[in-house]
Amino acid sequence: MNKELFIRQIPLFASLSQEACAQLLKKLKTLDFQKGDIIVQEGDRGDSLYILESGLVKVVLGHGTDNPQVLARLRAGDYFGEMSLLTGEPRSATVIAAVETKALVLHKNELDELMKQYPSMALHFGRVLSKRLKDTSRLKTDRELYTIIAIYAEEEDRMARALLTVNLAASLVKETAKRVVVVDADGEAREVIQALNLNLPTSSVDGPDSYEDVLSRSDIDRFVLSHKSGIDFISIFHGASSRARTGEKDIAPLLSILKNRYDYVLINCASTLNTLIRRAMDHSDLVIYLTSTAPDHLAKCASTLQGFEDQFGYGSNKLMIGILEKGNTPLLSKDEIVERVKVNNVFFFAQDPYAVNSFLRTGYPFVFEYPNSILSLGVKRLARKIGQVSVGLALSSGAARGFAHVGVLKVLHAAGIPIDMIAGSSMGALIGGFYAAGVTPQELEDLVNSYTDRAKVRKTMYDLTLPKSGLAKGNSLIAMFRSQIGDITFERLQIPFIAIATDLRDGTEVKLRRGVVWEALRASGSIPMMFEPYYLQGRCLVDGGITNPLPTNVLVDEGMDIVISIVVNSVYARPTGPANPITSHGDTLLHSVFNELKGEISSPSDKPEQFKILDILFRTIGIMGAAIIEPQAKLADVDVRPDLSHIDWREFHRGPELIAAGVEAAEDALPAIRELLYERMKPEG
């Protein structure tokens, strides 16, 4: 690692003179920490600044107490200890290595010497730390916890609601390792109770006016039924003499008891909005409304949700729409649904009659028996959203270097790391879109390896045209896209996916998330001058790497809890091969075409500093992208960076090397990813 370049990326040292930076590097010491090592202790005297070279650390308030609080997680490029170092105050928190970690350390006496030698350094430190204090006061807090979740649907979707409630509960047990109970507030979903093979308790009090049901008691243990899937189950109608009268009772006391016993309480709400159901919704942290995309259903959904907002004061953060796919209803995008119902949280549940019938027959949740069915994937994705362990993957642009994304996906897939959303630019969009469509890592690797044949690269990339708006039409790329993923739409993808493009007319970033996927990939990878712009959804679109080469911000905006970035672009790239770097067959072909157009033949230049057209295109976009990437990478929880400095942006034929580099970088990052996931799954208390 080039330590000078690394140090200059840190705001504290960004403006140091070359001489001052050289002196700083001499004073920095490297320390290694094992997982669990305490780096600094809350309350201790601070005499050192730490800069993370690699690894992951947790900043913990109250470490060793009954209620420790994780304030932040820091990774490579982050630093800590600067406030205690300059003010002399005790450490405000404990910092613990979450995985194997390497840090550069600067002691107070050495910093003092540097500031005496370079007075401007002290002034710069003051400015940076003042801004850091302001930024710290604005740090994003964890979003509101969803403990009590009410699930509602109209009468015709009653069965689907009950099935999804139980399978969502089972997924929460699996995905979060937390305690989950299902409260049946419907009383009509007998099929589900029978499928679960639950033996319902009876009332201990006889007589037609008996009201010794679960809503009337504080000792509810005998009403709690345990299922082999790990979930508990309570029916509020067990032991009740009158369902109608039970529907007018208050469920709040029961929910209060359950909230103290369980991490998640899921309520299977009846379709009739009686007093009990209204009180259940009033005490819920989240209401999930299940509906189809039929126009009348969406209209009723919007009207009902408006009533919920008016009656309960719900904001959009407390409401979620679950779209039940049905064969006779239109397939709408998330944006179209949001526009109609005015709620931003939307999840899709595909049809899978085979999985559903199997559950009703065996009593074993389909999310366990058929974990990879598209219905199960949707339910598990919602469970991770509720459990705050949703994972978003941002894939950067980088031309040929984007093949390294395949190596990272191989490792994540083999390790069982769930991916809940993918956002990509240019080549990152291509790889991400293929994976979201169900192309496996092995199939992606086979595809990449097939391009070791440079003739195939030329055939796919260089379908040359008269250079009116681009050197290549891009039709060969489209043919390749369609051969792999067909005409699949965003709504049919296995993983939600967003491709980034740039509007050539106004220079704005465009998020593509509806329609046919291959069109979005063609637009996102339209390198200016290399390919003709692509016209889509009323816009003239070019390469997404121009405006957002690493769309981590898109994933943050979408509410992903853990964001992983894969950066394959770098401003420090150097060409390989001879002094004149442009000698590939593709460039020779373009050169000959230009000579034909000019009506003359000229010899290639032998000046080593000259670049030809493809290098200028790829390098210009790459350099622009690298400058934008750093602040975007800071938004990620884990930043994966394959070492690709020896491979040029145009060397598509070096796929095996690129994949190997991606594998190596992902394996290095895997402990940090697992730590972030599994730490959130630890039971509380």
Side-chain angles (χ1 to χ4, degrees):
M1 180 182 68
N2 187 319
K3 286 192 177 180
E4 180 179 353
L5 295 173
F6 175 73
I7 287 297
R8 288 195 178 280
Q9 293 176 11
I10 297 168
L12 279 174
F13 308 116
S15 66
L16 290 183
S17 66
Q18 188 170 1
E19 179 184 353
C21 189
Q23 292 299 316
L24 171 66
L25 291 173
K26 291 178 181 179
K27 296 181 182 299
L28 290 172
K29 305 293 188 296
T30 301
L31 294 180
D32 294 308
F33 300 95
Q34 299 302 309
K35 180 179 179 179
D37 286 352
I38 294 178
I39 302 174
V40 302
Q41 181 78 48
E42 182 179 350
D44 285 355
R45 176 176 172 270
D47 63 352
S48 303
L49 167 70
Y50 294 82
I51 305 164
L52 296 181
E53 228 182 322
S54 63
L56 182 76
V57 302
K58 297 182 292 184
V59 182
V60 183
L61 186 65
H63 175 67
T65 67
D66 293 336
N67 296 300
Q69 181 182 3
V70 178
L71 299 178
R73 296 171 182 82
L74 308 178
R75 56 177 177 79
D78 290 328
Y79 58 94
F80 59 91
E82 73 287 351
M83 299 307 297
S84 294
L85 182 69
L86 293 177
T87 65
E89 295 180 357
R91 303 286 191 190
S92 59
T94 298
V95 179
I96 306 169
V99 298
E100 289 187 12
T101 297
K102 187 185 296 289
L104 299 173
V105 183
L106 179 66
H107 296 292
K108 180 175 175 54
N109 61 329
E110 294 168 331
L111 178 61
D112 290 342
E113 289 178 13
L114 283 170
M115 287 186 173
K116 289 178 182 178
Q117 191 173 358
Y118 305 99
S120 61
M121 186 175 179
L123 179 62
H124 176 68
F125 262 47
R127 289 173 178 167
V128 172
L129 294 179
S130 176
K131 181 179 184 300
R132 187 169 169 89
L133 281 173
K134 293 178 182 178
D135 291 343
T136 301
S137 68
R138 299 171 186 160
L139 281 176
K140 180 184 71 175
T141 58
D142 288 340
R143 59 179 171 83
E144 185 177 2
L145 292 174
Y146 297 138
T147 300
I148 302 178
I149 302 159
I151 303 173
Y152 177 83
E154 300 297 338
E155 179 62 27
E156 65 184 85
D157 294 319
R158 173 180 56 83
M159 189 62 185
R161 182 229 309 138
L163 290 170
L164 282 171
T165 300
V166 172
N167 279 273
L168 177 58
S171 291
L172 279 168
V173 171
K174 176 72 172 179
E175 301 294 334
T176 70
K178 299 291 178 69
R179 300 160 298 180
V180 183
V181 63
V182 171
V183 178
D184 178 24
D186 183 353
E188 299 295 334
R190 304 295 300 178
E191 299 93 337
V192 176
I193 295 174
Q194 292 169 1
L196 292 173
N197 295 317
L198 296 172
N199 296 315
L200 306 183
T202 59
S203 175
S204 60
V205 177
D206 297 326
D209 296 324
S210 166
Y211 265 66
E212 191 183 41
D213 58 22
V214 68
L215 295 177
S216 306
R217 301 175 63 92
S218 59
D219 53 333
I220 64 171
D221 289 346
R222 77 182 190 87
F223 292 93
V224 178
L225 307 174
S226 295
H227 187 256
K228 59 185 177 181
S229 62
I231 61 176
D232 285 348
F233 187 91
I234 292 178
S235 174
I236 63 172
F237 296 97
H238 296 166
S241 62
S242 169
R243 295 193 179 198
R245 292 172 68 179
T246 298
E248 297 307 315
K249 297 183 73 174
D250 189 359
I251 197 174
L254 173 63
L255 295 180
S256 179
I257 295 171
L258 295 176
K259 188 173 183 178
N260 290 326
R261 291 191 180 191
Y262 295 91
D263 299 292
Y264 297 105
V265 180
L266 272 61
I267 308 171
N268 178 37
C269 294
S271 301
T272 302
L273 290 172
N274 54 30
T275 299
L276 185 143
I277 298 303
R278 291 182 183 278
R279 291 288 286 166
M281 291 183 175
D282 192 25
H283 284 78
S284 295
D285 304 307
L286 176 68
V287 174
I288 302 175
Y289 189 121
L290 302 177
T291 184
S292 75
T293 57
D296 57 328
H297 288 194
L298 285 179
K300 186 171 184 179
C301 172
S303 175
T304 303
L305 290 178
Q306 184 60 55
F308 288 172
E309 291 188 33
D310 294 341
Q311 179 172 357
F312 305 126
Y314 284 172
S316 60
N317 62 318
K318 289 196 67 173
L319 298 171
M320 182 179 291
I321 304 300
I323 297 298
L324 302 171
E325 181 184 301
K326 297 181 179 180
N328 59 346
T329 57
L331 199 61
L332 302 179
S333 69
K334 176 182 176 180
D335 291 342
E336 291 171 316
I337 293 167
V338 169
E339 183 178 349
R340 297 190 188 192
V341 300
K342 311 305 180 188
V343 173
N344 291 323
N345 284 331
V346 178
F347 274 77
F348 293 85
F349 302 105
Q351 286 182 313
D352 192 338
Y354 187 84
V356 169
N357 290 333
S358 176
F359 169 53
L360 292 174
R361 185 177 65 255
T362 65
Y364 196 61
F366 55 72
V367 291
F368 292 165
E369 192 166 3
Y370 301 99
N372 295 320
S373 78
I374 194 164
L375 174 58
S376 295
L377 292 175
V379 174
K380 292 191 292 183
R381 191 172 298 119
L382 175 56
R384 290 191 291 271
K385 171 79 170 180
I386 292 171
Q388 296 191 345
V389 290
S390 60
V391 178
L393 193 62
L395 279 61
S396 82
S397 58
R401 291 176 171 186
F403 284 167
H405 290 312
V406 176
V408 178
L409 288 173
K410 276 186 63 176
V411 173
L412 298 181
H413 186 85
I417 303 298
I419 305 299
D420 296 293
M421 180 171 284
I422 299 173
S425 288
S426 196
M427 182 60 83
L430 189 157
I431 300 298
F434 278 24
Y435 186 67
V439 181
T440 67
Q442 185 57 58
E443 291 168 338
L444 283 170
E445 183 173 15
D446 293 343
L447 177 64
V448 168
N449 288 341
S450 71
Y451 283 93
T452 54
D453 178 3
R454 295 191 185 196
K456 186 173 182 178
V457 174
R458 294 198 305 274
K459 184 177 179 181
T460 302
M461 295 280 291
Y462 307 136
D463 53 343
L464 299 174
T465 184
L466 291 177
K468 181 179 179 181
S469 57
L471 301 174
K473 298 176 182 178
N475 290 340
S476 296
L477 275 178
I478 291 173
M480 187 272 285
F481 296 162
R482 299 184 74 179
S483 71
Q484 298 297 318
I485 62 174
D487 293 328
I488 192 170
T489 62
F490 279 84
E491 295 74 29
R492 295 291 186 187
L493 292 174
Q494 293 186 10
I495 301 172
F497 168 65
I498 300 173
I500 305 300
T502 301
D503 190 322
L504 191 59
R505 293 190 177 100
D506 57 20
T508 57
E509 172 187 329
V510 179
K511 302 178 185 69
L512 300 173
R513 60 190 310 164
R514 62 184 174 90
V516 179
V517 175
W518 67 255
E519 289 196 287
L521 303 186
R522 171 64 178 82
S524 182
S526 297
I527 301 172
M529 294 179 61
M530 175 66 200
F531 294 108
E532 293 181 343
Y534 196 76
Y535 292 85
L536 183 63
Q537 299 171 13
R539 296 174 179 263
C540 178
L541 301 176
V542 293
D543 197 282
I546 296 172
T547 49
N548 193 350
L550 183 66
T552 50
N553 63 310
V554 173
L555 298 173
V556 172
D557 291 343
E558 290 292 322
M560 294 294 104
D561 300 291
I562 298 169
V563 175
I564 303 170
S565 60
I566 308 175
V567 178
V568 298
N569 203 345
S570 172
V571 74
Y572 306 115
R574 60 180 183 275
T576 58
N580 186 351
I582 307 306
T583 56
S584 73
H585 295 290
D587 298 307
T588 302
L589 178 60
L590 280 172
H591 186 76
S592 65
V593 169
F594 285 131
N595 285 337
E596 269 189 62
L597 293 172
K598 291 189 300 181
E600 60 182 25
I601 301 295
S602 59
S603 301
S605 171
D606 58 358
K607 294 181 180 179
E609 69 274 12
Q610 281 199 349
F611 294 95
K612 293 183 183 176
I613 190 166
L614 283 187
D615 283 272
I616 294 171
L617 289 173
F618 284 126
R619 291 177 186 280
T620 299
I621 293 176
I623 291 169
M624 290 168 54
I628 303 171
I629 274 176
E630 292 311 319
Q632 290 291 88
K634 290 294 183 183
L635 297 176
D637 297 285
V638 179
D639 187 32
V640 183
R641 298 207 179 203
D643 181 6
L644 307 174
S645 59
H646 59 294
I647 299 179
D648 199 66
W649 289 302
R650 61 183 170 79
E651 294 182 308
F652 292 91
H653 61 284
R654 298 178 69 175
E657 295 174 71
L658 288 158
I659 292 175
V663 167
E664 182 179 0
E667 288 176 343
D668 289 343
L670 201 54
I673 297 171
R674 283 177 167 150
E675 171 65 25
L676 287 171
L677 276 171
Y678 299 148
E679 182 183 63
R680 297 181 181 219
M681 293 173 61
K682 293 176 183 175
E684 298 176 1

